[in-house]
Amino acid sequence: MAVEAVPGTVLSFEDARRVVEQQAALIHAGASELIDLLVAAGRVLAEPILADRNLPPFPRSTRDGYAVRSDDVAGIPTTLDVIGEIKAGESVENIPKQVRAGQTASIMTGAPVPDGADAVVMVEYTSQQGGRVAIKKGVDAGENIVPSGAEAKKGSVLVDRGRCLDAASIALAASAGKSRLQVFRRPHVAVLTTGDEIVRVDATPGPTQIRNSNSYSLAAQIQNAGGEPVLLPIAPDEPRKLRSLIEEGLKSDLLLMTGGVSMGRYDLVEQVLAELKAEFFFTGAKIQPGQPVVFGKCTVANASRESRGTYFFGLPGNPVSTMVTFELFARPLLEALAGMSPRKLQFVYAKLQSEIRVKTGLTRFLPAILSGDFEASGVELVKWQGSGDVAATARANCYIVLPPDREIIPAGEFVPIMLR
Ligand code: AMP
Ligand code: MG
């Protein structure tokens, strides 16, 4: 079968990313399910979580000490009458109705501050003898008290729909009494690896064959981004079989292919997609690794998403290219399918330990190691054999991001890094 060249659109990294973000913005996440709060980490909220009461629900003491009227302790040292003790969870009838001039109540962290008092003096600055306490340090009105509703008002949104649940948002859900949460169903992501040289993980490879590692790194990344991987059989570099597996993959919510998108005679992925009348948003990005990355959308007969079409990425087969292009391009689209609100790709900066020299023209994402601690942390490229070197990448813990117009980056410069 003759290989027809597909007309290419090669974009800068920023433009390619923007194209993906624009498509992601068009996606409306689908079905949701009710799950237990205990297994909600990493899931995406399909409903907002509202405050069922003020947070805090009462004026909360943030210290162990004495609830006072700040005017009473304007001149120190001074001595006050202790009219009661309020512990966290104290029943309402045991809380003094009013702290009057010259009075105070002993109070614990997390306990409700009684009426009349407007500040708490830390126990460290007091000494109690019988029913009297000497106050050795003044306090301003409001000190060591969080007023009722200061953190959130009853009825307000605590966590937005579209938020990926982490420990803090799960803590908020718990405070609002949500033991079960409505979250989006995980999108199914078909993974199709291509290449005559690729064999299954459990096969004994022949002398020129290699085991399929990309499907597994992708499965890990898909799960991390909120999707459910569906591994398809390995596709040979043969158009008919490849086409039927691509058609199979297009029935999922998203199709990720690896390999077969470069310029080689047996790189057939784009050709087969063109036969299927796919729409291509780009067929390359000026990046390293991952230059031949392809992004598009395709509708196949009998597909579940027939009317809207299925997004696909053709990721380059080199294992590091596959991983990097997933993070840069497939992740934001998958997150949108998973119902997550869009977020920008953000880099952090770290001090470069050794000079880097590269050719200009490509935005580079090079495996690197961030080490050291506190102010002494620094980042350095790992030595690698190029984008097939997954061993070097496994030693790395981040990527240094190099803009396309820099040739020499001196040691000591703060460089952007993408954490893994
Ligand atoms: P390709 O993009 O098909 O030209 O493949 C580029 C390189 O990546 C070749 O050396 C392939 O053998 C390798 N490769 C492709 N697919 C995989 C895979 N699933 N697992 C590991 N290596 C792969
Ligand atoms: Mg190949």
Side-chain angles (χ1 to χ4, degrees), residues 9-10 27 58 84 96 101 115 120 124 126 141 161 174 208 229 233 298 308 328 346 361 373 377 391 408:
T9 313
V10 179
I27 292 170
F58 48 82
D115 285 347
V120 170
E124 289 86 337
T126 64
R161 173 189 152 96
T208 59
C298 189
R308 286 183 282 159
L328 297 177
Q346 287 168 332
D373 62 356
S377 68
I408 302 175

Side-chain angles (χ1 to χ4, degrees), residues 193-195 197-198 210-215 237 258-262 264 266-267 292 315-319 322 388:
T193 201
T194 74
E197 76 281 31
I198 311 299
I210 56 164
R211 294 193 184 94
N212 172 19
S213 64
N214 288 344
S215 294
D237 293 320
T258 83
V261 290
S262 312
Y266 298 98
D267 290 325
L315 307 177
N318 266 317
T322 309

Side-chain angles (χ1 to χ4, degrees), residues 179-377:
S179 60
R180 310 188 80 192
L181 295 174
Q182 201 69 35
V183 298
F184 287 109
R185 187 183 66 80
R186 286 192 172 102
H188 290 175
V189 183
V191 178
L192 176 58
T193 201
T194 74
D196 285 339
E197 76 281 31
I198 311 299
V199 297
R200 293 165 53 103
V201 184
D202 48 10
T204 305
T208 59
Q209 293 178 320
I210 56 164
R211 294 193 184 94
N212 172 19
S213 64
N214 288 344
S215 294
Y216 293 89
S217 56
L218 280 175
Q221 289 175 294
I222 288 164
Q223 284 172 295
N224 181 268
E228 208 163 279
V230 181
L231 266 55
L232 295 172
I234 298 164
D237 293 320
E238 189 278 303
R240 249 180 307 262
K241 188 83 184 79
L242 180 60
R243 178 178 169 139
S244 83
L245 285 167
I246 287 179
E247 285 177 312
E248 179 67 26
L250 287 168
K251 293 177 189 162
S252 284
D253 298 306
L254 174 65
L255 168 60
L256 301 183
M257 294 158 283
T258 83
V261 290
S262 312
M263 296 301 288
R265 193 169 298 147
Y266 298 98
D267 290 325
L268 305 171
V269 166
E270 278 170 76
Q271 180 210 328
V272 168
L273 284 159
E275 278 172 22
L276 292 169
K277 307 267 181 295
E279 179 184 357
F280 292 94
F281 301 117
F282 56 77
T283 56
K286 290 179 196 151
I287 58 171
Q288 191 232 354
Q291 201 161 359
V293 60
V294 174
F295 174 42
K297 196 177 188 183
C298 189
T299 307
V300 284
N302 307 322
S304 59
R305 293 181 161 252
E306 194 166 6
S307 52
R308 286 183 282 159
T310 306
Y311 288 103
F312 63 81
F313 287 89
L315 307 177
N318 266 317
V320 187
S321 308
T322 309
M323 279 187 266
V324 168
T325 49
F326 176 93
E327 286 305 317
L328 297 177
F329 304 117
R331 178 183 279 275
L333 199 94
L334 173 51
E335 287 183 350
L337 288 167
M340 260 177 80
S341 308
R343 50 176 178 165
K344 294 291 172 195
L345 184 62
Q346 287 168 332
F347 302 136
V348 294
Y349 280 75
K351 198 176 198 171
L352 187 62
Q353 282 172 319
S354 317
E355 179 187 272
I356 299 177
R357 285 168 182 264
V358 283
K359 290 202 182 75
T360 58
L362 301 174
T363 305
R364 292 173 203 265
F365 300 85
L366 303 179
I369 296 177
L370 178 68
S371 58
D373 62 356
F374 304 119
E375 297 88 49
S377 68

